[in-house]
Amino acid sequence: MPVPWSTPELASMARTTVNTIRHYHRLGLLEEPERSFNGYREYQVRHLVRLLRIRRLAGLGVPLAHIAEVGADAASTPDLLRELDHDLAESIKREQRARADIAAILRDNAPADSPPGFERVASRMSEADSSLIHIYAQLLDDEIMADLLEMTESNSSELALAIDTLPADADETTRQALAERITPSMAQNFIDYPWLRDPLAHLKQNANITEQTFIEAVVNLYNPAQLDVFYRASVAAHALLRGSEEVGEPA
Amino acid sequence: MPVPWSTPELASMARTTVNTIRHYHRLGLLEEPERSFNGYREYQVRHLVRLLRIRRLAGLGVPLAHIAEVGADAASTPDLLRELDHDLAESIKREQRARADIAAILRDNAPADSPPGFERVASRMSEADSSLIHIYAQLLDDEIMADLLEMTESNSSELALAIDTLPADADETTRQALAERITPSMAQNFIDYPWLRDPLAHLKQNANITEQTFIEAVVNLYNPAQLDVFYRASVAAHALLRGSEEVGEPA
DNA sequence: TTGCTCCTCACGTCACGTGAGGTGGC
DNA sequence: TTGCTCCTCACGTCACGTGAGGTGGC
């Protein structure tokens, strides 16, 4: 390839594309070369050098709009580079988190839109539970979320299924029976995770007025029979705890 | 914030923007909610959940156009995720290289568009040398480039300056004197870097017909006097080596 | 009437890529 | 005439952001 070079030749030498070169011409970043008699561009060595410098800066993350001034205003360059470095560091962190999350999803064979951190238990969770966790993750801090994960892991699959499949019009007997089955583990949870008795006190600081959200999510995601079972079990669990405190665990 | 939520309220709860929500509506990704009497959107819990799932997938790098099908076609998801992971890994590598290069530029106070790897010596290099290195980096493999860096590091600053500032019309005496000054180091380079005697043999494999480029770059970037000095020094250096081989270094 | 909240619609951003239609010499 | 190379010009992509102009109830 003797000088002068055509656009495809220049692109090939700089390991880029003709579209990229034309784009830089449009932006005024790369000087237009002379034209041959038939209108073809004829690039010289200086164009190749300029193109390589532009590609280098673009590769470092310098916005094309700033590349002209990087040449001109060398004094402001360190600040620009430090800013770029900061952006790159952030981007790398985000991508590394995404990779870790993808690995967890693949490892646990979980749905891709599982709540972050819940991949291990995602396939055992009902739609309602999964939805609720998505919302809670916006409202509760990480320690609470970690506790929720523990609770979900220790949940009995049969009980979870029974709750999940409870029809909205389940009769009195069915509800009461189910409530009694889940009362012990609920009581245990109240012991293991004291904040469960007053979850509203543990909302994220930056989450403004969200107590309503917290409650409305539950009410929306479970049917009346399920909510009734939760309520009955919760009352029974509290009674159980009060009983054991009075009898076996004096303050 | 009681249900139903307005668009800004929904955006705030999902830690995103109203524009993002409207964008998802336009793409048909997020169901349009009911409107109030005055035309305001009224979002329910299910919209919040859907929005959070979309944001989660988007955060993992799933293209918006594929998010609908990720829900529908769970079987193809692992392949998609593995592809995403591969892209993320590539992106992270690129960004880490960029960060390392930015660090080198800042550390050595080098121009941002220095040839990669040459930051330490960039401030001592002439424009022509820097340009040439940019071009050579496209044509020569990494080992040769490492040798070029070594050569540049060991170059005498005064000699480099003398060459760089040599006028195109420098007279005979000046040229000859300068050639004689650089002959010893050039001879030493021929010994230390044997490939210098036949650099064209070390072009990158994937770089097709580029010998011309190699030569045209030199001819274009240096003035006639400089080229003449290089030529004279090269001839003298070769003579020197032949002499020393005949006298002091029998094969 | 003024402010406030939400709305729609069109266009902008970033760094190019795509594709249609035309040209000039073999 | 066909093929090949290069050209221009308009529009597309991706995931939104911006800004103009309008509305409805206090």
Side-chain angles (χ1 to χ4, degrees), chain A:
Chain A
M1 288 196 265
V3 162
W5 301 299
S6 72
T7 311
E9 284 170 346
L10 184 70
S12 151
M13 302 199 51
R15 304 177 196 286
T16 183
T17 74
V18 294
N19 286 309
T20 297
I21 291 171
R22 291 182 185 138
H23 187 57
Y24 295 164
H25 282 318
R26 279 194 294 267
L27 294 185
L29 259 185
L30 182 63
E31 177 199 1
E32 278 277 0
E34 303 280 296
R35 302 291 183 116
S36 76
F37 65 100
N38 59 6
Y40 290 11
R41 272 175 263 250
E42 305 200 307
Y43 294 97
Q44 307 291 333
V45 169
R46 70 175 185 283
H47 299 103
L48 175 57
V49 170
R50 174 63 175 162
L51 178 57
L52 291 174
R53 290 188 194 275
I54 296 172
R55 291 303 292 166
R56 170 61 175 161
L57 291 172
L60 292 178
V62 180
L64 297 186
H66 287 27
I67 286 187
E69 84 190 55
V70 164
D73 185 9
S76 72
T77 305
D79 284 344
L80 173 60
L81 289 180
R82 269 184 280 270
E83 205 185 312
L84 284 179
D85 184 64
H86 178 258
D87 295 348
L88 286 169
E90 296 264 291
S91 175
I92 289 172
K93 265 189 200 163
R94 270 204 322 276
E95 291 170 332
Q96 281 172 337
R97 273 195 296 266
R99 286 197 73 192
D101 291 352
I102 287 175
I105 292 167
L106 289 172
R107 170 170 40 76
D108 299 322
N109 202 19
D113 59 356
S114 305
F118 284 69
E119 293 82 7
R120 237 178 347 181
V121 293
S123 34
R124 280 184 278 150
M125 285 165 73
S126 69
E127 262 291 302
D129 285 346
S130 162
S131 299
L132 207 55
I133 295 292
H134 266 297
I135 293 178
Y136 282 8
Q138 307 300 311
L139 308 178
L140 300 170
D141 52 38
D142 290 351
E143 298 145 45
I144 304 276
M145 293 310 293
D147 286 351
L148 278 175
L149 176 58
E150 269 188 34
M151 283 176 51
T152 311
E153 280 173 329
S154 65
N155 274 352
S156 136
S157 313
E158 308 105 89
L159 269 184
L161 185 67
I163 295 166
D164 189 32
T165 58
L166 186 72
D169 60 352
D171 62 26
E172 163 70 23
T173 319
T174 311
R175 297 180 186 198
Q176 184 58 32
L178 187 51
E180 283 168 15
R181 286 173 65 199
I182 68 178
T183 299
S185 56
M186 193 175 276
Q188 189 59 46
N189 281 336
F190 281 145
I191 292 168
D192 295 343
Y193 312 107
W195 57 264
L196 260 183
R197 304 182 189 195
D198 186 16
L200 298 183
H202 294 264
L203 294 175
K204 268 185 184 169
Q205 312 83 327
N206 49 347
N208 41 359
I209 325 142
T210 44
E211 310 191 358
Q212 282 273 359
T213 303
F214 205 87
I215 294 159
E216 309 223 47
V218 177
V219 173
N220 257 275
L221 288 166
Y222 296 101
N223 70 39
Q226 292 169 325
L227 293 172
D228 183 43
V229 167
F230 292 148
Y231 178 71
R232 292 181 190 213
S234 164
V235 169
H238 274 113
L240 208 64
L241 293 180
R242 263 198 309 280
S244 73
E245 273 164 16
E246 281 163 14
V247 179
E249 296 181 6

Side-chain angles (χ1 to χ4, degrees), chain B residues 38-231:
Chain B
N38 60 4
Y40 290 12
R41 271 175 265 248
E42 306 201 306
Y43 293 97
Q44 306 291 335
V45 169
R46 70 176 186 283
H47 299 103
L48 175 57
V49 170
R50 175 63 176 161
L51 178 57
L52 290 174
R53 289 187 194 275
I54 295 172
R55 291 304 292 166
R56 169 61 174 163
L57 291 172
L60 291 178
V62 180
L64 296 186
H66 289 26
I67 286 186
E69 85 190 54
V70 164
D73 184 9
S76 72
T77 306
D79 285 343
L80 173 61
L81 289 180
R82 269 185 279 272
E83 205 185 313
L84 285 178
D85 184 64
H86 177 257
D87 295 348
L88 286 169
E90 297 263 291
S91 175
I92 289 172
K93 266 189 200 163
R94 269 204 323 276
E95 291 170 331
Q96 282 172 337
R97 272 196 296 267
R99 287 198 73 192
D101 291 353
I102 288 175
I105 293 166
L106 289 172
R107 170 169 38 77
D108 299 321
N109 202 19
D113 60 356
S114 305
F118 285 68
E119 294 83 7
R120 238 180 344 187
V121 293
S123 35
R124 280 184 277 150
M125 285 166 72
S126 69
E127 261 291 301
D129 285 346
S130 163
S131 299
L132 208 55
I133 295 292
H134 266 297
I135 293 179
Y136 282 8
Q138 307 300 310
L139 309 176
L140 301 170
D141 51 38
D142 290 350
E143 298 146 46
I144 303 277
M145 292 310 292
D147 287 351
L148 278 175
L149 176 57
E150 269 188 35
M151 284 177 50
T152 311
E153 280 174 330
S154 64
N155 274 352
S156 135
S157 314
E158 308 103 89
L159 269 183
L161 186 67
I163 297 167
D164 188 34
T165 58
L166 186 73
D169 60 351
D171 62 27
E172 165 69 24
T173 320
T174 311
R175 298 180 186 197
Q176 185 59 30
L178 186 51
E180 283 168 16
R181 285 174 65 199
I182 69 177
T183 299
S185 58
M186 193 175 276
Q188 189 59 46
N189 282 336
F190 280 145
I191 293 168
D192 296 343
Y193 313 108
W195 57 264
L196 259 184
R197 304 180 189 199
D198 186 17
L200 297 184
H202 296 265
L203 294 174
K204 268 185 183 169
Q205 312 84 323
N206 49 346
N208 42 358
I209 327 145
T210 44
E211 310 190 0
Q212 283 272 2
T213 303
F214 205 87
I215 294 157
E216 308 223 47
V218 177
V219 174
N220 256 275
L221 289 167
Y222 297 100
N223 69 39
Q226 291 169 325
L227 293 171
D228 183 42
V229 167
F230 291 148
Y231 178 71

